[in-house]
Amino acid sequence: QVQLVESGGGSVQAGGSLRLSCVASGIDLTTACLAWFRQAPGKEREGVAASYTGGGSTYYADSVKGRFTISQVNAENTVYLQMNSLKPEDNAMYYCATTQICGPTWYEAARYAVWGQGTQVTV
């Protein structure tokens, strides 16, 4: 059974940083697509970043490029999202999700079957 557990959310002032963690079980991080999504109140779930082939390929939404970094430590079965220069528009619930392949449509939430419970980021 695949499980994803997020942590690391919290409240931070604009311009600050947070690092989110997603601990995965039941999957091989070296062969899966791991992604971070976020959802603000009243808005659709949005793809933020994704990592594939053990971190060899990464993808980012334009809104976070240069500010967020996705990484993973395969030995720890953990995927991280380092978020710097946070803005009020980054305020959302952040979710970790996994699917088999990232690809050019990595940002489509419907492609992901397994989700974590989410962690709140307040800016």
Side-chain angles (χ1 to χ4, degrees):
Q1 183 181 359
V2 179
Q3 284 190 318
L4 303 172
V5 179
E6 304 98 330
S7 62
S11 295
V12 63
Q13 291 186 341
S17 298
L18 281 174
R19 189 178 77 159
L20 306 183
S21 301
C22 172
V23 179
S25 59
I27 58 171
D28 181 355
L29 261 60
T30 63
T31 60
C33 173
L34 277 297
W36 286 97
F37 285 77
R38 65 187 181 187
Q39 188 166 20
K43 294 190 176 181
E44 292 188 355
R45 196 164 291 192
E46 171 192 23
V48 175
S51 176
Y52 185 53
T53 61
S57 299
T58 56
Y59 308 82
Y60 295 95
D62 287 343
S63 58
V64 306
K65 279 181 183 176
R67 300 190 299 123
F68 290 11
T69 302
I70 188 170
S71 63
Q72 57 188 81
V73 179
N74 297 327
E76 298 176 358
N77 258 32
T78 302
V79 178
Y80 298 99
L81 185 68
Q82 178 67 43
M83 305 185 296
N84 299 329
S85 302
L86 282 161
K87 304 176 181 180
E89 49 263 46
D90 296 319
N91 190 69
M93 183 72 80
Y94 282 71
Y95 299 90
C96 182
T98 186
T99 188
Q100 287 189 321
I101 299 173
C102 286
T105 57
W106 65 270
Y107 53 86
E108 294 181 354
R111 294 187 55 226
Y112 294 78
V114 180
W115 295 80
Q117 83 288 350
T119 186
Q120 178 67 41
V121 172
T122 303
V123 182

